[in-house]
Coordinates of all heavy atoms in Angstrom, one line a residue:
E29 N 16.7 15.8 -6.5 CA 15.8 15.0 -5.8 C 15.9 15.1 -4.3 O 17.0 15.3 -3.9 CB 16.0 13.5 -6.2 CG 15.2 12.5 -5.6 CD 15.3 11.0 -6.0 OE1 15.7 10.9 -7.2 OE2 15.2 10.2 -5.2
G30 N 14.8 15.2 -3.6 CA 14.8 15.3 -2.2 C 15.2 14.1 -1.5 O 15.3 13.1 -2.0
L31 N 15.3 14.3 -0.2 CA 15.8 13.2 0.6 C 14.5 12.2 0.9 O 13.5 12.7 1.0 CB 16.3 13.7 2.0 CG 17.5 14.5 1.9 CD1 17.9 15.0 3.3 CD2 18.7 13.7 1.3
C32 N 14.9 11.0 0.8 CA 13.7 9.9 1.1 C 14.3 8.8 1.8 O 15.4 8.3 1.5 CB 13.2 9.5 -0.2 SG 11.9 8.3 0.0
V33 N 13.8 8.4 2.9 CA 14.3 7.4 3.7 C 13.9 6.0 3.2 O 14.4 5.0 3.6 CB 13.7 7.4 5.2 CG1 14.2 8.6 5.8 CG2 12.2 7.3 5.2
V34 N 13.1 5.9 2.2 CA 12.8 4.6 1.6 C 13.7 4.3 0.3 O 13.7 5.1 -0.6 CB 11.3 4.7 1.1 CG1 10.9 3.3 0.5 CG2 10.2 4.9 2.2
P35 N 14.4 3.3 0.5 CA 15.4 2.9 -0.6 C 14.6 2.6 -1.9 O 13.5 2.1 -1.9 CB 16.1 1.6 -0.2 CG 15.9 1.8 1.4 CD 14.7 2.4 1.7
K36 N 15.3 3.0 -3.1 CA 14.6 2.9 -4.3 C 14.2 1.5 -4.7 O 13.4 1.1 -5.5 CB 15.5 3.5 -5.5 CG 15.6 4.9 -5.4 CD 16.3 5.5 -6.5 CE 16.4 6.9 -6.5 NZ 17.1 7.7 -7.7
Q37 N 14.9 0.5 -4.0 CA 14.7 -1.0 -4.4 C 13.7 -1.6 -3.5 O 13.5 -2.8 -3.5 CB 16.0 -1.7 -4.5 CG 16.7 -1.9 -3.1 CD 17.5 -0.6 -2.8 OE1 17.5 0.5 -3.3 NE2 18.5 -0.8 -1.9
T38 N 13.0 -0.9 -2.6 CA 12.1 -1.3 -1.6 C 10.7 -1.5 -2.2 O 10.1 -0.5 -2.8 CB 12.0 -0.5 -0.4 OG1 13.2 -0.3 0.2 CG2 11.1 -0.9 0.6
A39 N 10.1 -2.7 -2.1 CA 8.8 -2.9 -2.5 C 7.8 -2.2 -1.6 O 8.0 -2.5 -0.3 CB 8.6 -4.4 -2.7
C40 N 6.7 -1.6 -2.0 CA 5.8 -0.9 -1.2 C 4.4 -1.3 -1.4 O 4.1 -1.5 -2.6 CB 5.9 0.5 -1.2 SG 7.6 1.1 -0.6
L41 N 3.5 -1.4 -0.5 CA 2.2 -1.6 -0.8 C 1.4 -0.6 0.2 O 1.5 -0.6 1.3 CB 1.6 -3.0 -0.5 CG 0.2 -3.3 -0.3 CD1 -0.4 -3.1 -1.7 CD2 -0.1 -4.6 0.2
F42 N 0.6 0.3 -0.4 CA -0.1 1.3 0.2 C -1.6 0.9 0.3 O -2.2 0.3 -0.8 CB 0.0 2.7 -0.6 CG 1.2 3.4 -0.5 CD1 2.2 3.0 -1.4 CD2 1.4 4.4 0.4 CE1 3.4 3.6 -1.2 CE2 2.6 5.0 0.6 CZ 3.8 4.7 -0.2
V43 N -2.2 0.8 1.5 CA -3.5 0.4 1.8 C -4.2 1.4 2.5 O -3.8 1.9 3.4 CB -3.5 -0.9 2.5 CG1 -5.0 -1.5 2.7 CG2 -2.7 -2.0 1.8
R44 N -5.4 1.8 2.0 CA -6.3 2.7 2.8 C -7.7 2.5 2.5 O -8.0 1.7 1.5 CB -5.9 4.1 2.4 CG -6.2 4.6 1.1 CD -6.0 6.1 0.9 NE -6.4 6.7 -0.4 CZ -7.7 7.0 -0.7 NH1 -8.8 6.8 0.1 NH2 -8.0 7.5 -1.9
G45 N -8.6 2.8 3.4 CA -10.0 2.7 3.2 C -10.5 4.0 2.6 O -10.1 5.1 2.7
R46 N -11.7 3.8 1.9 CA -12.3 4.9 1.2 C -12.5 6.0 2.2 O -12.5 7.2 1.8 CB -13.6 4.4 0.5 CG -14.3 5.6 -0.2 CD -15.3 5.2 -1.3 NE -14.7 4.5 -2.4 CZ -14.0 4.9 -3.4 NH1 -13.6 6.2 -3.4 NH2 -13.5 4.1 -4.4
N47 N -13.1 5.7 3.3 CA -13.5 6.7 4.2 C -12.7 6.7 5.5 O -13.3 6.8 6.6 CB -15.0 6.6 4.6 CG -15.9 6.8 3.4 OD1 -15.8 7.8 2.7 ND2 -16.8 5.9 3.2
D48 N -11.4 6.6 5.4 CA -10.4 6.4 6.5 C -10.5 7.7 7.4 O -10.3 8.7 6.9 CB -9.1 6.1 6.0 CG -8.1 5.6 7.2 OD1 -8.3 6.1 8.3 OD2 -7.5 4.7 6.8
P49 N -10.9 7.5 8.6 CA -11.0 8.8 9.5 C -9.7 9.3 10.1 O -9.6 10.3 10.6 CB -12.0 8.3 10.6 CG -11.6 6.8 10.7 CD -11.4 6.4 9.3
V50 N -8.6 8.5 9.8 CA -7.4 8.8 10.4 C -6.4 9.3 9.3 O -5.7 10.3 9.5 CB -6.7 7.7 11.2 CG1 -5.3 8.0 11.8 CG2 -7.7 7.2 12.3
V51 N -6.3 8.6 8.3 CA -5.2 8.9 7.2 C -5.8 9.8 6.1 O -6.9 9.6 5.8 CB -4.8 7.6 6.6 CG1 -3.8 7.9 5.6 CG2 -4.2 6.6 7.6
E52 N -5.1 10.9 5.9 CA -5.4 11.8 4.8 C -5.3 11.2 3.5 O -4.1 10.9 3.1 CB -4.6 13.1 5.0 CG -4.8 14.1 3.9 CD -6.2 14.6 3.7 OE1 -6.8 15.0 4.8 OE2 -6.6 14.7 2.6
P53 N -6.3 10.9 2.7 CA -6.3 10.2 1.5 C -5.3 10.9 0.5 O -4.5 10.2 -0.2 CB -7.6 10.2 1.0 CG -8.4 10.5 2.1 CD -7.7 11.3 3.1
Q54 N -5.3 12.1 0.4 CA -4.4 12.9 -0.5 C -3.0 12.7 -0.2 O -2.1 12.5 -1.2 CB -4.8 14.4 -0.7 CG -4.2 15.0 -1.9 CD -4.7 14.4 -3.1 OE1 -5.9 14.3 -3.4 NE2 -3.7 14.0 -4.0
Y55 N -2.6 12.7 1.0 CA -1.2 12.4 1.4 C -0.8 11.1 1.0 O 0.3 10.9 0.4 CB -1.1 12.6 3.0 CG 0.3 12.2 3.4 CD1 1.3 13.1 3.3 CD2 0.5 11.0 4.0 CE1 2.5 12.9 3.8 CE2 1.7 10.8 4.4 CZ 2.8 11.7 4.4 OH 4.0 11.3 4.8
V56 N -1.6 10.0 1.3 CA -1.3 8.6 0.9 C -1.1 8.4 -0.6 O -0.1 7.9 -1.1 CB -2.3 7.7 1.4 CG1 -2.0 6.3 0.9 CG2 -2.4 7.6 2.9
D57 N -2.1 9.1 -1.4 CA -2.0 9.1 -2.8 C -0.8 9.7 -3.3 O -0.1 9.3 -4.2 CB -3.3 9.6 -3.4 CG -4.6 8.9 -3.1 OD1 -4.4 7.7 -2.6 OD2 -5.6 9.4 -3.2
D58 N -0.6 10.8 -2.8 CA 0.7 11.7 -3.3 C 2.0 10.9 -2.9 O 2.9 10.9 -3.8 CB 0.6 13.1 -2.6 CG -0.4 14.0 -3.2 OD1 -1.0 13.6 -4.1 OD2 -0.6 15.0 -2.5
Y59 N 2.2 10.3 -1.8 CA 3.3 9.6 -1.4 C 3.5 8.4 -2.3 O 4.6 8.0 -2.7 CB 3.3 9.3 0.1 CG 4.7 9.0 0.6 CD1 5.7 9.9 0.5 CD2 5.0 7.8 1.3 CE1 7.1 9.6 0.9 CE2 6.2 7.6 1.6 CZ 7.3 8.3 1.5 OH 8.5 8.1 2.1
Y60 N 2.4 7.7 -2.4 CA 2.4 6.5 -3.4 C 2.9 7.0 -4.7 O 4.0 6.3 -5.3 CB 1.0 5.9 -3.6 CG 0.7 5.1 -4.9 CD1 1.4 3.9 -4.9 CD2 0.1 5.7 -5.9 CE1 1.2 3.2 -6.0 CE2 -0.1 5.0 -7.0 CZ 0.5 3.7 -7.1 OH 0.5 3.0 -8.5
A61 N 2.4 8.0 -5.2 CA 2.9 8.5 -6.7 C 4.3 8.9 -6.7 O 5.0 8.6 -7.6 CB 2.0 9.6 -7.1
F62 N 4.7 9.5 -5.6 CA 6.2 9.8 -5.5 C 7.1 8.7 -5.5 O 8.0 8.5 -6.2 CB 6.4 10.7 -4.1 CG 7.8 10.9 -3.8 CD1 8.6 11.7 -4.5 CD2 8.4 10.2 -2.8 CE1 10.0 11.9 -4.2 CE2 9.7 10.2 -2.4 CZ 10.6 11.1 -3.2
L63 N 6.7 7.7 -4.7 CA 7.6 6.5 -4.7 C 7.6 5.7 -5.9 O 8.5 5.1 -6.5 CB 7.2 5.6 -3.4 CG 7.6 6.1 -2.1 CD1 7.1 5.2 -1.0 CD2 9.1 6.4 -1.9
K64 N 6.4 5.6 -6.4 CA 6.1 4.8 -7.8 C 7.0 5.4 -8.9 O 7.6 4.8 -9.6 CB 4.6 4.8 -8.1 CG 4.3 4.0 -9.5 CD 3.5 2.9 -9.2 CE 3.1 2.2 -10.4 NZ 3.5 0.8 -10.4
A65 N 7.2 6.7 -8.8 CA 7.9 7.3 -10.0 C 9.4 7.2 -9.7 O 10.2 7.4 -10.6 CB 7.6 8.9 -9.9
R66 N 9.8 7.0 -8.4 CA 11.3 6.9 -8.3 C 11.9 5.6 -7.9 O 13.0 5.4 -7.8 CB 11.6 7.9 -7.0 CG 11.2 7.5 -5.7 CD 11.5 8.3 -4.6 NE 12.9 8.2 -4.2 CZ 13.5 7.2 -3.4 NH1 12.7 6.2 -3.0 NH2 14.8 7.2 -3.1
S67 N 11.0 4.7 -7.7 CA 11.4 3.2 -7.3 C 11.8 2.3 -8.5 O 11.2 2.5 -9.6 CB 10.3 2.7 -6.5 OG 10.0 3.3 -5.3
T68 N 12.6 1.5 -8.2 CA 12.9 0.4 -9.2 C 12.3 -0.9 -8.8 O 12.4 -1.9 -9.6 CB 14.5 0.2 -9.2 OG1 14.9 -0.2 -7.9 CG2 15.3 1.3 -9.6
A69 N 11.6 -0.9 -7.6 CA 10.8 -2.1 -7.2 C 9.3 -1.9 -7.4 O 8.9 -0.8 -7.8 CB 11.0 -2.4 -5.6
S70 N 8.5 -2.9 -7.2 CA 7.1 -2.7 -7.3 C 6.5 -1.9 -6.1 O 6.8 -1.9 -5.0 CB 6.4 -4.2 -7.0 OG 5.1 -4.0 -6.9
V71 N 5.6 -0.9 -6.6 CA 5.0 0.0 -5.6 C 3.6 -0.2 -6.1 O 3.2 0.3 -7.1 CB 5.5 1.4 -5.7 CG1 4.7 2.4 -4.9 CG2 7.0 1.5 -5.4
E72 N 2.7 -0.6 -5.1 CA 1.3 -1.0 -5.4 C 0.4 -0.1 -4.5 O 0.9 0.4 -3.6 CB 1.1 -2.5 -5.2 CG 1.9 -3.3 -6.1 CD 1.3 -3.6 -7.4 OE1 0.1 -3.2 -7.6 OE2 2.1 -3.7 -8.4
W73 N -0.9 -0.1 -4.8 CA -1.7 0.6 -4.1 C -3.1 -0.1 -4.1 O -3.5 -0.8 -5.2 CB -2.0 2.0 -4.8 CG -2.9 3.0 -4.2 CD1 -2.6 4.0 -3.3 CD2 -4.4 3.2 -4.5 NE1 -3.8 4.6 -3.0 CE2 -4.8 4.2 -3.7 CE3 -5.2 2.6 -5.4 CZ2 -6.1 4.7 -3.7 CZ3 -6.6 3.0 -5.4 CH2 -7.0 4.0 -4.6
H74 N -3.8 -0.2 -2.9 CA -5.1 -0.9 -2.8 C -6.0 0.1 -2.0 O -5.6 0.4 -0.9 CB -5.0 -2.3 -2.4 CG -6.2 -2.9 -2.3 ND1 -6.9 -3.5 -3.3 CD2 -7.1 -3.2 -1.3 CE1 -8.0 -4.0 -3.2 NE2 -8.2 -3.9 -1.8
L75 N -7.3 0.0 -2.5 CA -8.3 0.7 -1.7 C -9.4 -0.2 -1.3 O -9.9 -0.9 -2.1 CB -9.0 1.8 -2.7 CG -10.2 2.6 -2.1 CD1 -9.7 3.5 -1.1 CD2 -10.9 3.4 -3.2
F76 N -9.6 -0.2 0.1 CA -10.8 -1.1 0.6 C -11.9 -0.2 0.6 O -12.0 0.9 1.1 CB -10.4 -1.5 2.0 CG -9.4 -2.6 2.1 CD1 -8.0 -2.3 2.3 CD2 -10.0 -3.9 2.1 CE1 -7.2 -3.4 2.5 CE2 -9.0 -4.9 2.2 CZ -7.6 -4.7 2.3
E77 N -12.9 -0.5 -0.3 CA -14.1 0.1 -0.4 C -15.0 0.3 0.8 O -15.5 1.4 1.0 CB -15.0 -0.4 -1.6 CG -14.3 -0.3 -2.9 CD -14.3 1.1 -3.5 OE1 -15.0 1.9 -3.1 OE2 -13.4 1.2 -4.4
K78 N -15.0 -0.8 1.5 CA -16.1 -0.8 2.6 C -15.3 -0.8 4.0 O -16.1 -1.0 5.0 CB -16.9 -2.0 2.4 CG -17.9 -1.9 1.3 CD -18.7 -3.0 1.2 CE -19.5 -2.8 -0.2 NZ -20.5 -4.0 -0.3
A79 N -14.1 -0.9 4.1 CA -13.4 -0.9 5.4 C -12.5 0.2 5.7 O -11.8 0.7 4.6 CB -12.6 -2.2 5.5
Q80 N -12.4 0.7 6.8 CA -11.4 1.6 7.2 C -10.0 0.8 7.2 O -10.0 -0.2 7.6 CB -11.6 2.2 8.5 CG -12.9 3.0 8.5 CD -13.3 3.4 10.0 OE1 -12.6 3.3 10.9 NE2 -14.6 3.8 10.2
H81 N -8.9 1.5 6.9 CA -7.7 0.8 6.7 C -7.2 0.1 8.0 O -7.0 -1.0 8.0 CB -6.5 1.8 6.3 CG -5.1 1.1 6.5 ND1 -4.8 0.0 5.7 CD2 -4.2 1.3 7.4 CE1 -3.6 -0.2 6.2 NE2 -3.2 0.4 7.1
A82 N -7.3 0.8 9.1 CA -6.9 0.2 10.4 C -7.8 -1.0 10.8 O -7.5 -1.8 11.5 CB -7.0 1.3 11.5
M83 N -9.0 -0.9 10.3 CA -10.1 -2.1 10.6 C -10.2 -3.1 9.4 O -10.8 -4.1 9.6 CB -11.5 -1.6 11.0 CG -11.4 -0.6 12.2 SD -10.9 -1.6 13.6 CE -12.1 -3.0 13.7
A84 N -9.5 -2.9 8.4 CA -9.6 -3.9 7.2 C -9.1 -5.3 7.6 O -9.6 -6.3 7.2 CB -8.8 -3.5 6.1
V85 N -8.0 -5.3 8.5 CA -7.7 -6.7 8.9 C -8.8 -7.5 9.7 O -8.8 -8.6 9.7 CB -6.4 -6.6 9.8 CG1 -6.6 -5.9 11.1 CG2 -5.7 -7.9 9.9
V86 N -9.7 -6.6 10.3 CA -10.8 -7.3 10.9 C -12.1 -7.3 10.1 O -12.8 -8.4 10.1 CB -11.2 -6.4 12.3 CG1 -12.4 -6.9 12.9 CG2 -10.0 -6.4 13.2
E87 N -12.4 -6.3 9.3 CA -13.6 -6.2 8.5 C -13.4 -7.0 7.2 O -14.5 -7.4 6.7 CB -13.9 -4.7 8.2 CG -14.3 -3.9 9.5 CD -14.5 -2.5 9.3 OE1 -14.2 -2.0 8.1 OE2 -14.8 -1.8 10.2
A88 N -12.4 -7.1 6.7 CA -12.1 -7.9 5.5 C -10.8 -8.6 5.5 O -9.9 -8.4 4.8 CB -12.0 -6.9 4.3
P89 N -10.7 -9.6 6.4 CA -9.4 -10.4 6.5 C -8.8 -11.1 5.4 O -7.5 -11.0 5.2 CB -9.7 -11.3 7.8 CG -11.2 -11.4 7.8 CD -11.7 -10.1 7.3
E90 N -9.7 -11.8 4.7 CA -9.1 -12.5 3.6 C -8.6 -11.6 2.4 O -7.5 -11.8 1.8 CB -10.2 -13.4 3.0 CG -10.6 -14.6 4.0 CD -9.5 -15.3 4.3 OE1 -8.6 -15.7 3.4 OE2 -9.3 -15.8 5.5
Q91 N -9.3 -10.4 2.1 CA -8.9 -9.5 1.1 C -7.6 -8.8 1.7 O -6.7 -8.6 0.8 CB -10.0 -8.5 0.8 CG -9.6 -7.5 -0.2 CD -10.7 -6.5 -0.5 OE1 -11.6 -6.3 0.3 NE2 -10.6 -5.8 -1.5
Y92 N -7.6 -8.4 2.9 CA -6.3 -7.9 3.5 C -5.2 -8.7 3.4 O -4.1 -8.3 3.0 CB -6.7 -7.5 5.0 CG -5.7 -6.6 5.6 CD1 -5.7 -5.2 5.5 CD2 -4.7 -7.2 6.3 CE1 -4.8 -4.4 6.1 CE2 -3.6 -6.3 7.0 CZ -3.7 -5.0 6.9 OH -2.8 -4.1 7.4
K93 N -5.3 -10.1 3.7 CA -4.3 -10.9 3.7 C -3.7 -11.1 2.2 O -2.5 -11.1 1.9 CB -4.6 -12.3 4.1 CG -3.5 -13.4 4.2 CD -3.9 -14.6 4.7 CE -2.9 -15.7 4.6 NZ -3.2 -16.9 5.1
A94 N -4.8 -11.2 1.3 CA -4.4 -11.5 0.0 C -3.6 -10.2 -0.6 O -2.7 -10.4 -1.4 CB -5.7 -11.7 -0.9
M95 N -3.9 -9.1 -0.2 CA -3.2 -7.9 -0.7 C -1.8 -8.0 -0.4 O -0.9 -7.6 -1.1 CB -3.9 -6.6 -0.2 CG -5.1 -6.2 -0.8 SD -5.1 -6.0 -2.6 CE -5.8 -7.5 -3.1
H96 N -1.5 -8.4 0.9 CA -0.2 -8.5 1.5 C 0.6 -9.6 0.8 O 1.8 -9.4 0.4 CB -0.2 -8.5 3.0 CG -0.5 -7.2 3.6 ND1 -1.7 -6.8 3.9 CD2 0.4 -6.3 4.0 CE1 -1.7 -5.7 4.4 NE2 -0.5 -5.3 4.6
V97 N 0.0 -10.8 0.7 CA 0.7 -11.8 0.1 C 0.9 -11.7 -1.3 O 2.0 -11.8 -1.8 CB -0.1 -13.2 0.3 CG1 0.4 -14.4 -0.3 CG2 -0.2 -13.5 1.8
E98 N -0.1 -11.4 -2.1 CA 0.0 -11.4 -3.5 C 0.5 -10.2 -4.2 O 1.3 -10.2 -5.1 CB -1.5 -11.5 -4.1 CG -2.1 -13.0 -3.8 CD -1.3 -14.1 -4.3 OE1 -0.7 -14.0 -5.5 OE2 -1.3 -15.1 -3.7
R99 N 0.4 -8.9 -3.6 CA 0.8 -7.8 -4.2 C 2.0 -7.2 -3.4 O 2.7 -6.3 -4.0 CB -0.3 -6.8 -4.0 CG -1.5 -7.2 -4.8 CD -2.5 -6.2 -5.0 NE -2.4 -5.1 -5.8 CZ -3.1 -4.1 -6.0 NH1 -4.3 -4.0 -5.4 NH2 -2.9 -3.1 -6.8
L100 N 2.5 -7.7 -2.3 CA 3.6 -7.2 -1.7 C 4.7 -8.3 -1.5 O 5.9 -8.3 -2.1 CB 3.4 -6.5 -0.4 CG 4.5 -6.1 0.4 CD1 5.2 -4.9 -0.4 CD2 4.1 -5.4 1.7
L101 N 4.4 -9.3 -0.8 CA 5.5 -10.3 -0.4 C 5.9 -11.0 -1.6 O 7.1 -11.3 -1.9 CB 5.0 -11.4 0.6 CG 4.5 -10.7 1.9 CD1 4.0 -11.7 2.9 CD2 5.8 -10.0 2.6
R102 N 5.0 -11.4 -2.6 CA 5.4 -12.1 -3.8 C 6.1 -11.1 -4.7 O 7.2 -11.6 -5.3 CB 4.2 -12.7 -4.5 CG 4.5 -13.8 -5.4 CD 3.3 -14.5 -6.0 NE 2.4 -15.2 -5.1 CZ 2.7 -16.2 -4.4 NH1 3.7 -16.8 -4.5 NH2 1.6 -16.7 -3.6
Q103 N 5.9 -10.0 -4.8 CA 6.7 -8.9 -5.7 C 8.0 -8.8 -5.1 O 9.0 -8.4 -5.8 CB 5.8 -7.6 -5.6 CG 4.7 -7.7 -6.5 CD 4.9 -7.8 -7.9 OE1 5.8 -7.3 -8.5 NE2 4.0 -8.6 -8.7
A104 N 8.1 -8.9 -3.6 CA 9.4 -8.6 -3.0 C 10.2 -9.8 -3.1 O 11.3 -9.8 -2.4 CB 9.2 -8.0 -1.7
N105 N 9.8 -10.9 -3.7 CA 10.3 -12.3 -3.7 C 10.6 -12.9 -2.3 O 11.6 -13.6 -2.2 CB 11.7 -12.1 -4.5 CG 11.6 -11.8 -5.9 OD1 10.7 -12.3 -6.5 ND2 12.3 -10.8 -6.3
F106 N 9.7 -12.5 -1.4 CA 9.7 -13.2 -0.1 C 9.1 -14.6 -0.2 O 9.4 -15.6 0.5 CB 9.1 -12.4 1.0 CG 9.8 -11.2 1.4 CD1 9.3 -9.9 1.3 CD2 11.1 -11.3 2.0 CE1 9.9 -8.9 1.7 CE2 11.8 -10.2 2.2 CZ 11.3 -8.9 2.2
L107 N 8.2 -14.7 -1.2 CA 7.4 -16.0 -1.5 C 7.7 -16.3 -2.9 O 7.6 -15.5 -3.7 CB 5.9 -15.7 -1.2 CG 5.4 -15.2 0.1 CD1 4.0 -15.1 0.1 CD2 5.8 -16.3 1.2
K108 N 7.8 -17.5 -3.0 CA 8.2 -18.1 -4.4 C 7.0 -18.8 -4.9 O 6.3 -19.4 -4.3 CB 9.4 -19.0 -4.4 CG 10.7 -18.4 -3.9 CD 11.1 -17.3 -4.8 CE 12.4 -16.7 -4.3 NZ 12.8 -15.6 -4.9

């Protein structure tokens, strides 16, 4: 197994927009798959259909917040 700076017990949430002009979609998808396969914690993925990832917090604030609260923080036991 190669070196990885993300501990296996770290919960991760990958978020990207369908037409993100900055982030390479295949890179994000491949890294998500890599971490999902090796992690012992929750590794989740979410695609914003109509927002660019960097702008999702502005363009879809409720959905953006819900993804972080419900799919990351609750999984990582930060919220009970």
